[in-house]
Amino acid sequence: TMCRIAEESEKYIDVLTDIRIREAQRLLATTNLSVAEIVEAVGYCDDKHFRRLFQKLTGMNPLEYRKKIQGEKEILMLEIEMAKASKND
C-alpha cells in the first residue's frame, strides 16, 4: 500500500542520512578536508542543510566536532607517551 511505501522510504532516507553523517564524522576526524569538501564528498549539495542536520544529529557543528576529536586524539597520544615513559623507568 502507499502507506507502507512511505514508511519504507522514510526508513531508507534515515539510513542514508546516518551513513552520510558517519562518513562526514570520519572525514572530519581523519582528514584536513574543509567542511565544504566533506559536504560534497558525502553527497550533499546544500551546505546549510548539511550543517543543520549534522548539528541536530551530533549535538555540535562540524568544526566543533573536529576540534573535539582532535583534542581527544591529543589527550590519547599524551597518555600513550606517559605510559611508555613510565614503562621505561
Side-chain angles (χ1 to χ4, degrees):
T1 66
M2 289 302 287
C3 289
R4 184 171 179 188
I5 291 169
E7 288 173 10
E8 288 175 4
S9 68
E10 287 175 354
K11 291 177 185 173
Y12 170 78
I13 195 65
D14 291 343
V15 169
L16 180 60
T17 298
D18 184 59
I19 291 168
R20 286 174 162 175
I21 295 300
R22 286 177 189 250
E23 178 64 4
Q25 288 176 305
R26 185 188 72 77
L27 292 171
L28 286 163
T30 61
T31 73
N32 290 322
L33 293 173
S34 70
V35 174
E37 290 171 314
I38 291 171
V39 169
E40 188 176 317
V42 298
Y44 285 95
C45 298
D46 184 344
D47 185 79
K48 285 183 182 180
H49 174 70
F50 169 81
R51 289 173 187 268
R52 276 193 304 269
L53 193 56
F54 192 95
Q55 176 83 36
K56 179 182 174 187
L57 296 175
T58 67
M60 59 191 85
N61 70 45
L63 292 179
E64 290 171 336
Y65 179 83
R66 178 174 267 165
K67 286 179 187 174
K68 177 181 180 274
I69 292 300
Q70 287 174 344
E72 290 172 359
K73 280 183 184 177
E74 289 175 14
I75 290 169
L76 182 58
M77 294 303 292
L78 287 173
E79 289 174 350
I80 290 169
E81 289 299 319
M82 289 172 61
K84 284 181 183 177
S86 66
K87 218 176 190 183
N88 292 335
D89 290 343

